[in-house]
Amino acid sequence: MYIRFEDRIKQKALELQGPRALIQASHAQELNAAFAAIEQAHQDGYWIGLVLNYELAQLWEPRLLARRSRFPLLSALVFEQAVPCSLWNSSHALALTAKATISEAIYHQHIAEIQADIRAGDFYQINYSLPLQISSPMPTRELYTALASRHPVAYACYVELENRRILSLSPELFLHKQGLHIGMRPMKGTMPRHADPKQDEAAAQTLANSEKDRAENVMIVDLLRNDLGCIAEIGSVHMDSLFDIERYESVWTMTSSLQARLQPNTTLAKLLHAVFPCGSITGAPKLAAMQKIRALETHERGIYCGALGYWSPEDELQLSVAIRTLELDAQGQGILGVGGGIVHDSDAANEWQECMWKARILNTTIQAQGI
């Protein structure tokens, strides 16, 4: 097993070394023992890499229809130490193909169904997604390095687990906890970057002034405030900022930031039960949104929209939202999930195009799926 984290904005990387144990859970009856083992490893002074599939939530919530998964829903990689190291860099040409798994026509049908349910009052927003089929002859470490070098983000991560490879280029922080202090920085709202500086700046201003994107952002912030309120000290949840515009290689994004102080003795299991998965990739209300996602999306999300991160012996916990994340086998075959928030006034054609913008990290043309 192997895991490393790269902050390509600050130009630093962290590699976990000295493997000690692999703790995993795939079924609800395995969760208590898994979290007990993780807590013990933390108390013993080990570093823990966390790989949390989106479907982990179904082990806590019986109202979510369970989906069979190819991989364990929770994986904790226990290591003796974490070592600062150099970034992996590459200018190698990319060898990669990607194909949509549903047609744009089917996508439009699903958006229409979601909007009908929104009008009926079932929910306010759904983060609907689709997987792209990925194939690459490149060794997965080389593929990750080539992609990460072209698309620098703060929460890049590379994982090797048996026949599973995770190549994450996530720009989104799920949570950062140091002791009892916790911060979250949800991302909601996207615009494409442009080569022309004036057009690029106009796109950033369009996003900053978009009433639709601001409304979606506020919905998710309110959802996360509610999630944090379940485990935070009363009155400690507060906003740091709203509607910040951040620049990445292929897109502009809108983010907000909130902080809280956790109740004493909040375990990892209790924390994740309250806030996982991040509301920015479900919709609101969270349970109703996740039920609709389960009904519409025919593929498991896997690590996509789950979380990746580490827990240090000094009680620093950092998790990213696993977006812009490829999940491949050792032979380079797998998926990349892309999606976006759907609200009552979303335009299906624009939402489809946003999915294609997000797939720009692949630096390849997306092959269309027939009707």
Side-chain angles (χ1 to χ4, degrees):
M1 62 183 184
Y2 179 85
I3 189 167
R4 74 185 273 128
F5 305 93
E6 295 188 331
D7 183 339
R8 288 180 170 264
I9 305 302
K10 296 182 178 179
Q11 293 285 296
K12 62 182 184 179
L14 195 67
E15 181 178 282
L16 302 196
Q17 297 181 356
R20 298 289 298 185
L22 176 61
I23 303 165
Q24 296 184 312
S26 297
H27 306 286
Q29 59 267 31
E30 299 171 338
L31 270 186
N32 288 342
F35 277 113
I38 293 170
E39 292 281 356
Q40 186 61 58
H42 178 252
Q43 292 173 19
D44 291 341
Y46 294 117
W47 280 79
I48 301 163
L50 292 168
V51 178
L52 310 176
N53 279 25
Y54 170 83
E55 284 80 13
L56 174 63
Q58 73 191 26
L59 303 189
W60 281 304
E61 179 49 73
R63 289 171 291 181
L64 289 173
L65 181 62
R67 188 193 294 276
R68 294 184 63 182
S69 298
R70 291 191 303 147
F71 300 113
L73 303 183
L74 177 154
S75 295
L77 294 68
V78 181
F79 288 84
E80 293 177 354
Q81 60 183 340
V83 179
C85 54
S86 300
L87 294 174
W88 288 345
N89 288 303
S90 172
S91 58
H92 289 172
L94 282 163
L96 179 73
T97 61
K99 182 178 181 179
T101 56
I102 66 172
S103 68
E104 186 173 356
I106 295 296
Y107 180 88
H108 283 218
Q109 291 176 21
H110 288 176
I111 300 306
E113 182 177 334
I114 289 169
Q115 290 177 317
D117 290 346
I118 291 174
R119 289 193 295 271
D122 294 345
F123 35 75
Y124 306 110
Q125 181 196 77
I126 294 290
N127 195 89
Y128 176 62
S129 71
L130 65 146
L132 307 177
Q133 293 177 341
I134 305 298
S135 178
S136 175
M138 299 175 70
T140 53
R141 290 194 186 197
E142 186 178 308
L143 176 61
Y144 164 79
T145 304
L147 290 170
S149 298
R150 288 166 170 80
H151 300 278
V153 295
Y155 306 105
C157 179
Y158 178 77
V159 183
E160 292 182 359
L161 277 173
E162 299 173 334
N163 194 36
R164 185 185 191 189
R165 304 291 185 266
I166 297 170
L167 295 63
S168 183
L169 308 178
S170 176
E172 183 173 3
L173 176 68
F174 179 15
L175 62 86
H176 181 269
K177 182 183 85 74
Q178 185 69 64
L180 293 178
H181 178 267
I182 187 170
M184 304 181 78
R185 193 166 175 79
M187 181 176 290
K188 209 65 184 171
T190 307
M191 280 286 176
R193 299 291 311 280
H194 299 278
D196 177 77
K198 290 184 178 180
Q199 191 178 5
D200 193 44
E201 181 59 29
Q205 290 302 314
T206 297
L207 178 60
N209 298 322
S210 168
E211 292 185 8
K212 173 183 176 295
D213 289 298
R214 283 175 170 250
E216 285 190 58
N217 199 287
V218 167
M219 271 189 245
I220 299 308
V221 167
D222 285 346
L223 187 158
L224 295 187
R225 291 179 65 176
N226 182 68
D227 285 353
L228 274 179
C230 297
I231 49 172
E233 291 185 349
I234 295 174
S236 71
V237 181
H238 64 278
M239 294 297 307
D240 274 355
S241 63
L242 271 173
F243 313 139
D244 296 328
I245 304 301
E246 296 183 356
R247 178 175 57 193
Y248 294 93
E249 189 68 21
S250 57
V251 294
W252 293 97
T253 65
M254 180 183 288
T255 64
S256 296
S257 180
L258 59 162
Q259 311 284 332
R261 182 172 177 81
L262 296 174
Q263 299 168 7
N265 302 316
T266 298
T267 63
L268 178 65
K270 186 176 181 181
L271 170 61
L272 292 176
H273 193 178
V275 302
F276 184 88
C278 184
S280 64
I281 49 75
T282 62
K286 183 183 274 189
L287 177 58
M290 293 180 72
Q291 288 172 324
K292 188 62 179 181
I293 288 168
R294 176 63 180 85
L296 279 183
E297 296 184 11
T298 58
H299 296 74
E300 66 169 320
R301 287 187 170 184
I303 190 58
Y304 172 61
C305 292
L308 293 163
Y310 60 82
W311 193 14
S312 79
E314 293 75 33
D315 201 24
E316 179 189 13
L317 173 65
Q318 178 175 289
L319 294 173
S320 65
V321 182
I323 56 174
R324 321 290 199 272
T325 298
L326 292 78
E327 185 164 21
L328 309 174
D329 61 24
Q331 291 71 48
Q333 310 297 310
I335 61 171
L336 167 74
V338 289
I342 309 302
V343 291
H344 71 96
D345 58 348
S346 293
D347 179 84
N350 289 342
E351 296 294 340
W352 174 268
Q353 195 59 50
E354 181 176 324
C355 291
M356 298 304 106
W357 296 339
K358 292 173 179 176
R360 286 181 177 180
I361 63 164
L362 299 174
N363 290 85
T364 191
T365 301
I366 310 303
Q367 300 173 30
Q369 175 67 266
I371 296 176

